[in-house]
Amino acid sequence: MNANFCISSVYLVTILSGSQDYVELTFEQQVYPTAVHVLETYHPGAVIRILACSANPYSPSPPAEVRWEILWSERPTKVNASQARQFKPCIKQINFPTNLLRLEVNSSLLDYYTELDAVVLHGMEDKPGLSPKTSSMDMNGLENDDDEENDDCGMDTLNKKFSSAALREWPNNGYFDKLPYELIQLILNHLTLPDLCRLAQTCKLLNQHCCDPLQYIHLNLQPYWAKLSDTSLEFLQPRCTLVQWLNLSWTGNRGFISVSGFSRFLKVCGFELVRLELSCSHFLNETCLEVISEMCPNLQDLNLSSCDKLPPQAFNHVAKLCSLKRLVLYRTKVEQTALLSILNFCSELQHLSLGSCVMIEDYDVIASMIGAKCKKLRTLDLWRCKNITENGIAELASGCHLLEELDLGWCSTLQSSTGCFARLAHQLPNLRKLFLTANRSVCDTDIEELAGNCTRLQQLDILGTRMVGPASLRKLLGSCKDLSLLDVSFCSQVDNRAVLELNASFPNVFIKKSFTQ
């Protein structure tokens, strides 16, 4: 048998201790993995988990069963060196070939975001003999975060775990009988979902507590994405009638959750929902959004980030959720007509993300509507808005005086010469975070206007500008006492010596500088 390897370019999906983001990689050939090498080019140390999938994404027919196995897992760690490295974790052997890997990332301990250049998958065409240590492992269970590893309480057996039929009869529950009901509930509130499953098997008293809907007010199912299915939701349904915060991000892909299964769950459990996280949930379709709009009248927070398979017409249903305060439509196919309807009816919005929404024809019209209708807006993401101009910025700034965070990164149609950035500084004095990433027209005048008007600024990103020098930055740092992060990477007029001098004068500010040398 000859070893072979494949290299795949990286496609990052941006989306809790645990995994924050993930990368899915496909390779041309299925192999039994023997090694995985990750080329980390910028701030290494973020990868915390590598998984392999049994499904072949190039297969013309869907598989009867989809399994995910953890090849390697570790808690987030602090890597002192920021130089590029080739990460070579010691992986577990698995009993099926794969050409689909998932890398899960947590950047919470890093100074800045991470970048992965490529991933190399080494493997054998034929099944290798498993080592004694590996062969003793459970090859069917998917490990969860930290204390949930080697968990044999799969989501598809929740019904059995909660069942009290097999509980043994005991004369009493010892000291637990003396504890107030509320105190036991408070103690159990610190347990994870699999731990509640285990505890429910111990006695009838704890089974009653573990099945109490008050234990499921906040329910995060994202860590169990690999096993969550229609059956899981059906088992959870009686216990989630009071759920207010539900996270189904990353779940249901490759047929694990159906539209009918999701709809049945929300029809029973949606009325009390205030927050619903559905990032990267590719099972969603128009029917799902219609059910959300009908069954979740109290919804204030909806995240549809990277749900890029939703058809444009589906977003018309979002306009029915008039109580929304936070809406994330990052990297979706929402169109201009639907978005205008949403802005018109959802006037309570405080947080709005429209980053990389490529189907919008005229962002100036959208910005004008935001300025006219969303007077309470505090954060706005317009990253990579392809056609917004100084006219849209003027309408936005004149209507949204409460804005604290604004992302205009990679908006190439905005030019400093029009005065748009100076206008922002004058009209938005409450700004705390401003991203002007990759806008090469940002100049010293803009920085001085920010220094004079936005003294509450905490974070500023001007990566890539060629027209800002150390003098204006020193003025900014002197005026904005709360500033904690300043990104001047690839700013040609700010060399390493200037950064060192600014760091010496303002040691509490992290000044980020990367070079193209």
Side-chain angles (χ1 to χ4, degrees):
M1 291 186 297
N2 295 322
N4 67 82
F5 68 92
C6 312
I7 299 179
S8 175
S9 58
V10 171
Y11 178 67
L12 182 61
V13 183
T14 303
I15 321 264
L16 321 187
S17 179
S19 304
Q20 295 173 326
D21 312 309
Y22 72 86
V23 184
E24 284 195 357
L25 309 156
T26 57
F27 301 83
E28 292 184 3
Q29 183 178 354
Q30 284 191 317
V31 295
Y32 291 90
T34 57
V36 176
H37 297 170
V38 184
L39 280 66
E40 301 174 291
T41 55
Y42 195 51
H43 287 275
V47 177
I48 63 168
R49 190 172 293 107
I50 302 175
L51 303 98
C53 185
S54 62
N56 183 350
Y58 297 118
S59 175
S61 57
E65 179 187 14
V66 178
R67 291 172 53 196
W68 285 92
E69 281 284 345
I70 293 181
L71 301 179
W72 172 86
S73 180
E74 188 58 77
R75 293 171 180 249
T77 55
K78 176 73 172 180
V79 178
N80 294 326
S82 60
Q83 302 98 307
R85 72 169 184 175
Q86 186 173 167
F87 179 48
K88 302 177 180 179
C90 181
I91 67 171
K92 182 180 76 174
Q93 295 182 40
I94 57 175
N95 62 358
F96 59 81
T98 185
N99 62 341
L100 175 60
L101 297 183
R102 173 183 282 214
L103 275 64
E104 296 187 359
V105 176
N106 185 316
S107 303
S108 60
L109 297 182
L110 303 184
D111 293 328
Y112 213 53
Y113 64 86
T114 189
E115 283 186 3
L116 311 179
D117 186 56
V119 173
V120 183
L121 170 63
H122 297 263
M124 310 294 288
E125 293 182 5
D126 299 321
K127 183 177 180 179
L130 297 179
S131 66
K133 179 179 179 181
T134 303
S135 61
S136 66
M137 296 181 179
D138 178 14
M139 305 301 287
N140 297 314
L142 180 67
E143 298 172 353
N144 291 315
D145 294 345
D146 305 334
D147 296 334
E148 297 162 23
E149 293 190 0
N150 299 317
D151 173 31
D152 62 352
C153 180
M155 296 298 294
D156 54 350
T157 60
L158 277 177
N159 194 35
K160 296 178 182 178
K161 299 301 184 184
F162 276 110
S163 174
S164 61
L167 296 178
R168 297 179 61 185
E169 293 289 344
W170 293 94
N172 60 67
N173 297 297
Y175 288 108
F176 270 98
D177 282 333
K178 302 180 182 297
L179 294 177
Y181 190 92
E182 295 81 2
L183 181 56
I184 299 177
Q185 286 292 96
L186 181 62
I187 295 171
L188 300 192
N189 189 52
H190 294 278
L191 299 181
T192 64
L193 185 58
D195 288 338
L196 285 173
C197 295
R198 298 185 189 100
L199 191 61
Q201 302 172 76
T202 58
C203 68
K204 289 185 176 181
L205 174 67
L206 292 179
N207 181 275
Q208 178 185 357
H209 281 280
C210 292
C211 296
D212 192 322
L214 291 175
Q215 287 292 343
Y216 304 88
I217 298 296
H218 288 186
L219 184 59
N220 181 13
L221 296 175
Q222 179 178 341
Y224 316 107
W225 59 267
K227 287 191 172 181
L228 196 73
S229 65
D230 282 349
T231 306
S232 310
L233 294 181
E234 183 180 353
F235 292 156
L236 285 169
Q237 190 170 294
R239 302 162 184 91
C240 295
T241 54
L242 300 178
V243 64
Q244 297 177 12
W245 186 97
L246 178 62
N247 188 354
L248 286 169
S249 295
W250 304 8
T251 64
N253 299 334
R254 297 184 173 86
F256 276 42
I257 295 178
S258 67
V259 172
S260 58
F262 175 78
S263 300
R264 285 194 302 270
F265 184 80
L266 275 197
K267 287 177 181 178
V268 174
C269 307
F271 186 79
E272 298 291 338
L273 267 181
V274 175
R275 180 176 179 180
L276 181 57
E277 300 282 342
L278 293 169
S279 174
C280 298
S281 297
H282 298 306
F283 67 89
L284 294 176
N285 65 5
E286 183 176 1
T287 299
C288 295
L289 290 196
E290 184 178 8
V291 171
I292 292 172
S293 68
E294 294 175 352
M295 298 294 117
C296 306
N298 300 307
L299 199 64
Q300 298 179 15
D301 190 328
L302 178 61
N303 183 358
L304 298 173
S305 172
S306 295
C307 293
D308 52 359
K309 290 183 169 58
L310 275 172
Q313 67 273 14
F315 295 94
N316 291 316
H317 298 287
V318 178
K320 304 172 188 176
L321 299 168
C322 300
S323 299
L324 281 179
K325 294 183 178 179
R326 174 178 174 260
L327 177 61
V328 181
L329 297 177
Y330 168 79
R331 204 169 154 267
T332 62
K333 296 177 181 176
V334 62
E335 290 183 341
Q336 185 160 312
T337 303
L339 184 53
L340 288 173
S341 178
I342 293 171
L343 296 173
N344 185 49
F345 290 101
C346 302
S347 57
E348 297 296 313
L349 279 172
Q350 298 179 16
H351 309 279
L352 178 62
S353 175
L354 301 175
S356 199
C357 292
V358 298
M359 305 291 283
I360 305 299
E361 299 171 0
D362 190 343
Y363 268 104
D364 282 347
V365 175
I366 298 300
S368 178
M369 179 65 87
I370 293 174
K373 294 291 185 177
C374 303
K375 302 295 185 180
K376 300 179 181 180
L377 202 65
R378 294 186 179 274
T379 67
L380 177 61
D381 179 6
L382 296 175
W383 185 75
R384 285 194 183 274
C385 291
K386 60 182 180 179
N387 53 33
I388 192 168
T389 70
E390 66 275 8
N391 297 324
I393 293 297
E395 296 284 347
L396 176 67
S398 64
C400 299
H401 297 294
L402 299 180
L403 265 180
E404 298 177 357
E405 182 175 334
L406 180 60
D407 192 341
L408 296 172
W410 297 89
C411 294
S412 57
T413 51
L414 293 176
Q415 294 296 313
S416 174
S417 58
T418 64
C420 59
F421 301 133
R423 184 177 295 108
L424 281 177
H426 278 286
Q427 296 185 294
L428 302 177
N430 295 314
L431 274 180
R432 285 166 171 76
K433 295 182 180 181
L434 179 60
F435 302 89
L436 301 175
T437 314
N439 192 306
R440 296 183 176 181
S441 71
V442 177
C443 63
D444 286 326
T445 301
D446 301 320
I447 303 301
E448 291 170 0
E449 291 289 349
L450 288 171
N453 296 281
C454 301
T455 56
R456 300 178 184 179
L457 205 61
Q458 299 173 1
Q459 185 172 338
L460 177 64
D461 187 340
I462 54 171
L463 178 150
T465 182
R466 301 173 177 177
M467 304 176 68
V468 171
S472 62
L473 293 177
R474 182 173 291 275
K475 185 174 181 179
L476 177 79
L477 291 165
S479 300
C480 302
K481 304 298 183 182
D482 296 329
L483 198 66
S484 59
L485 175 60
L486 175 62
D487 192 343
V488 292
S489 298
F490 308 107
C491 293
S492 56
Q493 291 192 38
V494 185
D495 57 21
N496 192 45
R497 178 179 177 181
V499 171
L500 292 175
E501 291 175 351
L502 291 172
N503 271 325
S505 301
F506 305 95
N508 294 328
V509 182
F510 176 57
I511 303 177
K512 181 61 189 173
K513 176 66 177 178
S514 295
F515 300 89
T516 57
Q517 299 173 354

